[in-house]
Each structure stands twice: as structure tokens, then as C-alpha cells.
Coordinates of all heavy atoms in Angstrom, one line a residue:
H1 N 93.9 134.5 69.4 CA 94.1 135.2 70.7 C 95.0 136.4 70.4 O 94.8 137.4 71.1 CB 94.7 134.3 71.7 CG 93.8 133.2 72.1 ND1 94.2 131.8 72.1 CD2 92.5 133.2 72.5 CE1 93.2 131.1 72.5 NE2 92.2 131.9 72.7
A2 N 96.0 136.3 69.5 CA 96.9 137.4 69.3 C 96.1 138.6 68.8 O 96.3 139.7 69.2 CB 98.0 137.0 68.3
L3 N 95.2 138.4 67.9 CA 94.4 139.5 67.3 C 93.5 140.1 68.3 O 93.3 141.3 68.3 CB 93.6 139.0 66.1 CG 92.8 140.0 65.3 CD1 93.8 141.0 64.7 CD2 92.0 139.4 64.2
A4 N 92.9 139.3 69.2 CA 91.9 139.8 70.1 C 92.5 140.4 71.4 O 91.9 141.1 72.2 CB 91.0 138.7 70.5
S5 N 93.8 140.2 71.6 CA 94.5 140.6 72.8 C 94.3 142.1 73.0 O 94.7 142.9 72.1 CB 96.0 140.3 72.7 OG 96.6 140.7 73.9
G6 N 93.7 142.5 74.1 CA 93.6 143.9 74.4 C 92.4 144.6 73.7 O 92.2 145.8 73.8
R7 N 91.6 143.8 73.0 CA 90.5 144.4 72.2 C 89.2 143.7 72.6 O 89.2 142.6 73.1 CB 90.7 144.1 70.7 CG 92.0 144.7 70.1 CD 91.8 146.2 69.9 NE 93.0 146.7 69.2 CZ 93.0 147.7 68.4 NH1 91.9 148.4 68.2 NH2 94.1 148.1 67.8
D8 N 88.1 144.4 72.3 CA 86.8 143.8 72.6 C 86.3 143.0 71.4 O 85.5 143.5 70.6 CB 85.8 144.9 73.0 CG 84.5 144.3 73.4 OD1 84.5 143.2 73.9 OD2 83.5 145.1 73.4
L9 N 86.9 141.8 71.2 CA 86.6 141.0 70.0 C 86.3 139.6 70.5 O 87.1 139.0 71.1 CB 87.8 141.0 69.0 CG 87.6 140.2 67.7 CD1 86.6 140.9 66.8 CD2 88.9 140.1 67.0
P10 N 85.1 139.1 70.2 CA 84.7 137.8 70.7 C 85.6 136.7 70.1 O 86.1 136.9 68.9 CB 83.3 137.6 70.2 CG 82.8 139.0 70.0 CD 83.9 139.8 69.6
H11 N 85.9 135.7 70.9 CA 86.9 134.6 70.5 C 86.5 134.0 69.1 O 87.4 133.9 68.2 CB 86.9 133.6 71.5 CG 87.8 132.4 71.1 ND1 89.2 132.5 71.2 CD2 87.5 131.2 70.7 CE1 89.7 131.4 70.8 NE2 88.7 130.5 70.5
G12 N 85.2 133.7 68.9 CA 84.8 133.2 67.6 C 85.1 134.1 66.4 O 85.5 133.6 65.4
E13 N 84.9 135.3 66.6 CA 85.2 136.3 65.5 C 86.7 136.4 65.2 O 87.1 136.4 64.1 CB 84.6 137.7 65.8 CG 83.1 137.7 65.8 CD 82.5 139.1 66.0 OE1 83.3 140.1 66.0 OE2 81.3 139.1 66.2
A14 N 87.5 136.3 66.3 CA 88.9 136.3 66.2 C 89.4 135.1 65.4 O 90.2 135.1 64.5 CB 89.6 136.4 67.5
V15 N 88.8 133.9 65.7 CA 89.1 132.7 65.0 C 88.7 132.8 63.5 O 89.5 132.4 62.7 CB 88.4 131.5 65.7 CG1 88.5 130.2 64.8 CG2 88.9 131.2 67.1
A16 N 87.5 133.3 63.2 CA 87.1 133.5 61.8 C 88.1 134.4 61.1 O 88.5 134.1 59.9 CB 85.7 134.0 61.8
I17 N 88.5 135.5 61.7 CA 89.5 136.4 61.0 C 90.8 135.7 60.8 O 91.4 135.8 59.8 CB 89.7 137.7 61.9 CG1 88.3 138.5 61.9 CG2 90.8 138.5 61.4 CD1 88.3 139.6 62.9
G18 N 91.2 134.9 61.8 CA 92.5 134.1 61.7 C 92.4 133.1 60.6 O 93.4 132.9 59.8
V19 N 91.3 132.4 60.4 CA 91.1 131.4 59.4 C 91.2 132.1 58.0 O 91.9 131.7 57.1 CB 89.8 130.6 59.5 CG1 89.5 129.8 58.3 CG2 89.8 129.7 60.7
A20 N 90.5 133.2 57.9 CA 90.5 134.0 56.6 C 92.0 134.5 56.3 O 92.4 134.4 55.1 CB 89.6 135.1 56.7
F21 N 92.6 134.9 57.3 CA 94.0 135.4 57.1 C 94.9 134.3 56.6 O 95.6 134.4 55.7 CB 94.5 136.0 58.5 CG 95.9 136.4 58.5 CD1 96.3 137.6 57.8 CD2 96.9 135.6 59.1 CE1 97.7 138.0 57.9 CE2 98.2 136.0 59.1 CZ 98.6 137.2 58.5
V22 N 94.9 133.1 57.4 CA 95.8 132.0 57.0 C 95.4 131.5 55.6 O 96.2 131.1 54.8 CB 95.6 130.9 58.1 CG1 96.3 129.6 57.6 CG2 96.3 131.4 59.3
C23 N 94.1 131.5 55.3 CA 93.6 131.1 53.9 C 94.3 131.9 52.9 O 94.8 131.4 51.9 CB 92.1 131.1 53.9 SG 91.4 130.8 52.3
R24 N 94.2 133.2 53.1 CA 94.8 134.2 52.1 C 96.3 134.0 52.0 O 96.8 134.0 50.8 CB 94.4 135.6 52.5 CG 93.0 136.0 52.3 CD 92.7 137.4 52.7 NE 91.3 137.7 52.5 CZ 90.5 138.0 53.5 NH1 90.9 138.1 54.8 NH2 89.2 138.3 53.3
V25 N 97.0 133.9 53.1 CA 98.4 133.7 53.1 C 98.8 132.4 52.4 O 99.7 132.4 51.5 CB 99.0 133.8 54.5 CG1 100.5 133.4 54.5 CG2 98.8 135.1 55.0
A26 N 98.1 131.3 52.7 CA 98.4 130.0 52.1 C 98.2 130.1 50.6 O 98.9 129.5 49.8 CB 97.5 128.9 52.7
A27 N 97.1 130.8 50.1 CA 96.9 130.9 48.7 C 98.0 131.8 48.1 O 98.5 131.4 47.0 CB 95.6 131.6 48.4
R28 N 98.4 132.8 48.8 CA 99.5 133.7 48.3 C 100.9 132.9 48.1 O 101.6 133.1 47.2 CB 99.7 134.8 49.2 CG 100.8 135.8 48.8 CD 100.8 137.0 49.7 NE 101.9 137.8 49.4 CZ 102.2 138.9 50.1 NH1 101.4 139.4 51.0 NH2 103.3 139.6 49.8
L29 N 101.1 131.9 49.1 CA 102.3 131.1 49.1 C 102.2 129.9 48.1 O 103.1 129.2 48.0 CB 102.6 130.7 50.5 CG 103.0 131.8 51.5 CD1 103.1 131.1 52.9 CD2 104.3 132.4 51.1
G30 N 101.0 129.7 47.5 CA 100.8 128.6 46.6 C 100.6 127.3 47.4 O 100.6 126.2 46.8
L31 N 100.2 127.4 48.7 CA 99.9 126.2 49.5 C 98.5 125.8 49.4 O 98.1 124.7 49.9 CB 100.4 126.4 50.9 CG 101.9 126.8 51.1 CD1 102.1 127.1 52.6 CD2 102.7 125.6 50.7
L32 N 97.6 126.7 48.9 CA 96.2 126.5 48.8 C 95.8 127.1 47.5 O 96.2 128.2 47.2 CB 95.5 127.1 50.0 CG 94.0 127.0 50.0 CD1 93.6 125.5 50.3 CD2 93.4 127.9 51.2
D33 N 95.0 126.4 46.7 CA 94.6 127.0 45.4 C 93.6 128.1 45.7 O 92.8 128.1 46.7 CB 94.1 126.0 44.4 CG 92.7 125.4 44.9 OD1 91.7 125.9 44.5 OD2 92.8 124.3 45.5
G34 N 93.5 129.1 44.8 CA 92.7 130.3 44.9 C 91.2 129.9 45.0 O 90.5 130.5 45.8
G35 N 90.8 128.9 44.3 CA 89.4 128.5 44.4 C 88.9 128.0 45.7 O 87.8 128.3 46.2
T36 N 89.8 127.2 46.3 CA 89.5 126.7 47.7 C 89.5 127.8 48.7 O 88.6 127.9 49.5 CB 90.6 125.6 48.1 OG1 90.5 124.6 47.2 CG2 90.3 125.1 49.5
C37 N 90.4 128.7 48.6 CA 90.4 129.9 49.5 C 89.1 130.7 49.3 O 88.5 131.1 50.3 CB 91.7 130.8 49.2 SG 91.7 132.2 50.2
E38 N 88.8 130.9 48.1 CA 87.5 131.7 47.8 C 86.3 131.0 48.4 O 85.4 131.6 48.9 CB 87.3 132.0 46.3 CG 86.2 133.0 46.1 CD 86.4 134.3 46.9 OE1 87.5 134.8 47.0 OE2 85.3 134.8 47.4
R39 N 86.2 129.6 48.3 CA 85.1 128.9 48.9 C 85.1 129.1 50.4 O 84.0 129.2 51.0 CB 85.2 127.4 48.5 CG 84.8 127.1 47.0 CD 84.5 125.7 46.8 NE 85.7 124.9 46.9 CZ 86.7 124.7 46.1 NH1 86.7 125.3 44.9 NH2 87.7 123.9 46.3
I40 N 86.2 129.1 51.0 CA 86.3 129.2 52.4 C 85.8 130.6 52.8 O 85.0 130.8 53.8 CB 87.7 129.0 53.0 CG1 88.1 127.5 52.9 CG2 87.9 129.5 54.4 CD1 89.5 127.2 53.1
L41 N 86.3 131.6 52.1 CA 85.8 133.0 52.4 C 84.4 133.2 52.1 O 83.7 133.9 52.8 CB 86.7 134.0 51.6 CG 88.2 134.0 51.8 CD1 89.0 134.9 50.9 CD2 88.5 134.3 53.3
T42 N 83.9 132.6 51.0 CA 82.5 132.7 50.7 C 81.6 132.1 51.8 O 80.5 132.7 52.2 CB 82.1 132.1 49.3 OG1 82.9 132.7 48.3 CG2 80.7 132.1 49.0
L43 N 82.0 131.0 52.3 CA 81.3 130.4 53.4 C 81.3 131.3 54.7 O 80.2 131.5 55.3 CB 81.9 129.0 53.8 CG 81.3 128.3 55.0 CD1 79.8 128.0 54.7 CD2 82.0 127.0 55.3
G44 N 82.4 131.9 55.0 CA 82.5 132.8 56.1 C 81.6 134.0 55.9 O 80.8 134.4 56.9
R45 N 81.5 134.5 54.7 CA 80.6 135.6 54.4 C 79.2 135.2 54.6 O 78.4 136.0 55.2 CB 80.9 136.2 53.0 CG 82.1 137.0 52.9 CD 82.2 137.7 51.5 NE 83.5 137.8 51.1 CZ 84.3 137.0 50.3 NH1 83.7 136.0 49.8 NH2 85.6 137.3 50.1
A46 N 78.9 134.0 54.1 CA 77.5 133.5 54.1 C 77.0 133.3 55.6 O 75.9 133.5 55.9 CB 77.3 132.2 53.4
L47 N 78.0 133.0 56.4 CA 77.7 132.8 57.9 C 77.7 134.2 58.6 O 77.4 134.2 59.9 CB 78.7 131.9 58.5 CG 78.6 130.4 58.0 CD1 79.7 129.6 58.5 CD2 77.2 129.8 58.4
G48 N 78.0 135.2 58.0 CA 78.1 136.5 58.6 C 79.3 136.8 59.5 O 79.2 137.6 60.4
L49 N 80.3 136.0 59.2 CA 81.5 136.1 60.1 C 82.5 137.2 59.5 O 82.5 137.4 58.3 CB 82.3 134.8 60.0 CG 81.6 133.6 60.7 CD1 82.3 132.3 60.4 CD2 81.4 133.9 62.1
P50 N 83.2 137.9 60.4 CA 84.1 138.9 60.0 C 85.3 138.2 59.4 O 85.7 137.1 59.9 CB 84.5 139.6 61.3 CG 84.3 138.7 62.4 CD 83.1 137.8 61.9
L51 N 85.9 138.7 58.3 CA 87.0 138.1 57.6 C 88.2 138.9 57.6 O 89.3 138.6 57.0 CB 86.6 137.7 56.2 CG 85.4 136.8 56.0 CD1 85.1 136.5 54.6 CD2 85.6 135.5 56.8
A52 N 88.2 140.1 58.3 CA 89.3 140.9 58.5 C 89.1 141.7 59.8 O 88.0 141.9 60.3 CB 89.3 141.9 57.3
A53 N 90.3 142.1 60.3 CA 90.2 142.9 61.6 C 89.4 144.1 61.4 O 89.6 144.8 60.3 CB 91.6 143.1 62.1
P54 N 88.6 144.6 62.3 CA 87.9 145.8 62.2 C 88.7 147.0 62.5 O 88.2 148.1 62.6 CB 86.8 145.6 63.2 CG 87.3 144.7 64.2 CD 88.3 143.8 63.5
W55 N 90.0 146.9 62.6 CA 90.9 148.0 62.9 C 92.2 147.7 62.1 O 92.5 146.6 61.8 CB 91.2 148.2 64.3 CG 91.7 147.0 65.0 CD1 93.0 146.5 65.0 CD2 90.9 146.0 65.7 NE1 93.0 145.3 65.7 CE2 91.8 145.0 66.1 CE3 89.6 145.9 66.1 CZ2 91.3 143.9 66.9 CZ3 89.2 144.8 66.8 CH2 90.0 143.8 67.2
P56 N 93.1 148.7 61.9 CA 94.3 148.4 61.2 C 95.2 147.5 62.1 O 95.3 147.7 63.3 CB 95.0 149.8 61.1 CG 93.9 150.8 61.2 CD 92.8 150.1 62.1
V57 N 95.9 146.6 61.5 CA 96.7 145.7 62.2 C 98.2 146.0 61.9 O 98.6 146.0 60.7 CB 96.4 144.2 61.8 CG1 97.4 143.2 62.5 CG2 95.0 143.8 62.1
D58 N 98.9 146.3 62.9 CA 100.4 146.6 62.8 C 101.1 145.3 63.2 O 101.0 144.8 64.3 CB 100.7 147.7 63.8 CG 102.2 148.1 63.8 OD1 103.0 147.3 63.3 OD2 102.5 149.2 64.2
L59 N 101.8 144.7 62.2 CA 102.5 143.4 62.4 C 103.6 143.6 63.6 O 103.8 142.6 64.3 CB 103.2 143.0 61.2 CG 102.2 142.4 60.1 CD1 103.0 142.1 58.8 CD2 101.4 141.2 60.6
D60 N 104.1 144.7 63.7 CA 105.1 144.9 64.8 C 104.5 144.8 66.2 O 105.1 144.4 67.2 CB 105.9 146.2 64.7 CG 106.8 146.1 63.5 OD1 107.4 145.1 63.2 OD2 107.0 147.2 62.8
V61 N 103.3 145.2 66.3 CA 102.5 145.1 67.5 C 101.9 143.7 67.7 O 101.9 143.2 68.8 CB 101.3 146.2 67.5 CG1 100.4 146.0 68.8 CG2 101.9 147.6 67.5
L62 N 101.5 143.1 66.7 CA 100.9 141.8 66.7 C 102.0 140.7 67.0 O 101.7 139.7 67.6 CB 100.2 141.5 65.4 CG 99.3 140.3 65.3 CD1 98.2 140.3 66.3 CD2 98.8 140.1 63.9
A63 N 103.2 140.9 66.4 CA 104.2 139.8 66.6 C 104.5 139.3 68.0 O 104.6 138.1 68.2 CB 105.5 140.3 65.9
P64 N 104.6 140.2 69.0 CA 104.8 139.7 70.3 C 103.7 138.8 70.9 O 103.9 137.8 71.6 CB 105.0 140.9 71.2 CG 105.3 142.0 70.3 CD 104.7 141.6 68.9
H65 N 102.5 139.1 70.5 CA 101.3 138.3 70.8 C 101.4 137.0 70.2 O 101.0 135.9 70.7 CB 100.0 139.0 70.6 CG 99.9 140.3 71.3 ND1 99.6 140.3 72.7 CD2 100.0 141.6 71.0 CE1 99.5 141.6 73.1 NE2 99.8 142.4 72.1
L66 N 101.8 137.0 68.9 CA 101.9 135.7 68.1 C 103.0 134.8 68.7 O 102.8 133.6 68.7 CB 102.2 136.0 66.6 CG 101.0 136.5 65.8 CD1 101.6 137.0 64.4 CD2 99.9 135.5 65.7
A67 N 104.0 135.4 69.2 CA 105.1 134.7 69.8 C 104.6 133.8 71.0 O 105.2 132.8 71.3 CB 106.2 135.6 70.3
R68 N 103.5 134.3 71.6 CA 103.0 133.5 72.8 C 101.9 132.6 72.4 O 101.3 131.9 73.2 CB 102.5 134.5 73.8 CG 103.6 135.2 74.5 CD 103.1 136.0 75.7 NE 102.1 137.1 75.3 CZ 102.4 138.3 75.0 NH1 103.6 138.7 74.9 NH2 101.5 139.2 74.7
D69 N 101.5 132.6 71.1 CA 100.4 131.8 70.6 C 101.0 130.5 70.0 O 101.7 130.5 69.1 CB 99.7 132.6 69.4 CG 98.4 131.9 68.9 OD1 98.3 130.6 69.1 OD2 97.5 132.6 68.5
K70 N 100.6 129.4 70.6 CA 101.2 128.1 70.3 C 100.9 127.7 68.8 O 101.5 126.8 68.3 CB 100.7 127.0 71.2 CG 99.2 126.7 71.1 CD 98.8 125.7 72.2 CE 97.4 125.3 72.1 NZ 96.5 126.3 72.8
K71 N 99.9 128.4 68.2 CA 99.5 128.0 66.8 C 100.2 129.0 65.8 O 99.9 128.9 64.6 CB 98.1 128.0 66.7 CG 97.4 126.9 67.5 CD 95.9 127.0 67.4 CE 95.3 128.2 68.0 NZ 95.5 128.5 69.4
A72 N 101.0 129.9 66.3 CA 101.6 130.9 65.4 C 102.5 130.3 64.3 O 103.2 129.3 64.6 CB 102.3 131.9 66.2
I73 N 102.4 130.9 63.1 CA 103.3 130.4 62.0 C 104.1 131.7 61.6 O 103.6 132.6 61.0 CB 102.4 129.9 60.8 CG1 101.5 128.8 61.2 CG2 103.3 129.5 59.7 CD1 100.5 128.4 60.2
F74 N 105.3 131.7 62.0 CA 106.1 132.9 61.8 C 106.5 133.1 60.4 O 106.8 134.3 60.0 CB 107.4 132.8 62.7 CG 107.0 132.9 64.2 CD1 107.0 131.7 64.9 CD2 106.6 134.1 64.8 CE1 106.6 131.8 66.3 CE2 106.3 134.1 66.1 CZ 106.2 133.0 66.8
V75 N 106.5 132.2 59.6 CA 106.7 132.4 58.2 C 105.7 133.3 57.5 O 106.0 134.1 56.6 CB 106.8 131.0 57.4 CG1 105.4 130.4 57.3 CG2 107.4 131.3 56.0
V76 N 104.5 133.3 58.1 CA 103.4 134.2 57.7 C 103.9 135.7 57.9 O 103.8 136.5 57.0 CB 102.1 133.9 58.4 CG1 101.1 135.0 58.2 CG2 101.6 132.6 58.0
I77 N 104.4 136.0 59.0 CA 104.9 137.4 59.3 C 106.0 137.8 58.3 O 105.9 138.8 57.7 CB 105.4 137.5 60.7 CG1 104.2 137.2 61.7 CG2 106.0 138.8 61.0 CD1 104.6 137.1 63.1
D78 N 107.0 136.9 58.1 CA 108.0 137.1 57.2 C 107.5 137.3 55.8 O 108.0 138.2 55.1 CB 109.1 136.0 57.3 CG 109.8 136.0 58.6 OD1 109.9 137.0 59.3 OD2 110.3 134.9 59.0
C79 N 106.6 136.5 55.4 CA 106.1 136.6 54.0 C 105.4 137.9 53.8 O 105.5 138.6 52.8 CB 105.1 135.5 53.8 SG 104.1 135.6 52.3
L80 N 104.6 138.4 54.8 CA 103.8 139.6 54.7 C 104.7 140.9 54.7 O 104.4 141.9 54.2 CB 102.7 139.7 55.7 CG 101.7 138.7 55.5 CD1 100.7 138.8 56.7 CD2 101.0 138.8 54.2
R81 N 105.9 140.8 55.3 CA 106.8 141.9 55.4 C 107.6 142.1 54.1 O 108.2 143.1 54.0 CB 107.7 141.7 56.6 CG 107.0 142.0 57.9 CD 108.0 142.0 59.0 NE 107.2 142.4 60.3 CZ 107.6 142.1 61.5 NH1 108.7 141.4 61.7 NH2 106.9 142.4 62.5
E82 N 107.6 141.1 53.3 CA 108.4 141.2 52.1 C 107.8 142.1 51.1 O 106.7 142.3 51.0 CB 108.6 139.8 51.5 CG 109.5 138.9 52.3 CD 109.6 137.5 51.8 OE1 109.1 137.2 50.7 OE2 110.4 136.7 52.4

């Protein structure tokens, strides 16, 4: 929801982008092995799902929306800002 807020992005596409994002972050943090992440991304591509936002994402703009998202993981924001 945070990504789609104020944009014309279908909910399912926003979910797919979120899954891909969390997958990449988890792999970067060592919480998910790279092979598993790649399998998830490959499946998303095969299904024709978007795996990245179709516009530049500014974390400072996105953060307030994430604060209202009950599924938000704030360590992700901190990790990406480092």
C-alpha cells in the first residue's frame, strides 16, 4: 500500500513489487540465500509481474506511508540508507 499510495498502481502489482523488494533485502542481509531469492524473482518474471517500481522511489517520501503500513519492516529502510 505504501508504494501504491497516490499512484495508479494495481494492488496486485504493488504486492509483487513489495515481495521482490523484501526478497532482495533479505538476501542482502543474509536472511535468504541468493538462490532462493533468484527463484522467487524468476517466478515473478515468468508470471509477467513487475519486480520494481515503475518510477524512482524516494525513501524519505515512502517512509511516512510505511509508518502506517502494519506490515512495514523499518530495519529495511535503515539498511538501505547505509
Side-chain angles (χ1 to χ4, degrees):
H1 294 128
L3 184 63
S5 181
R7 301 286 186 149
D8 186 22
L9 184 66
H11 177 75
E13 291 184 12
V15 169
I17 292 166
V19 167
F21 175 76
V22 170
C23 173
R24 290 179 178 117
V25 170
R28 181 174 171 182
L29 293 173
L31 301 172
L32 181 69
D33 69 87
T36 300
C37 181
E38 190 53 42
R39 284 193 299 278
I40 292 168
L41 298 176
T42 297
L43 177 60
R45 283 186 209 100
L47 293 171
L49 297 170
L51 301 178
W55 55 80
V57 175
D58 182 339
L59 288 176
D60 291 325
V61 173
L62 189 61
H65 297 285
L66 286 172
R68 292 189 298 270
D69 188 331
K70 66 182 180 283
K71 296 174 294 299
I73 303 170
F74 294 101
V75 70
V76 169
I77 296 171
D78 292 335
C79 172
L80 293 176
R81 286 189 174 155
E82 292 178 358

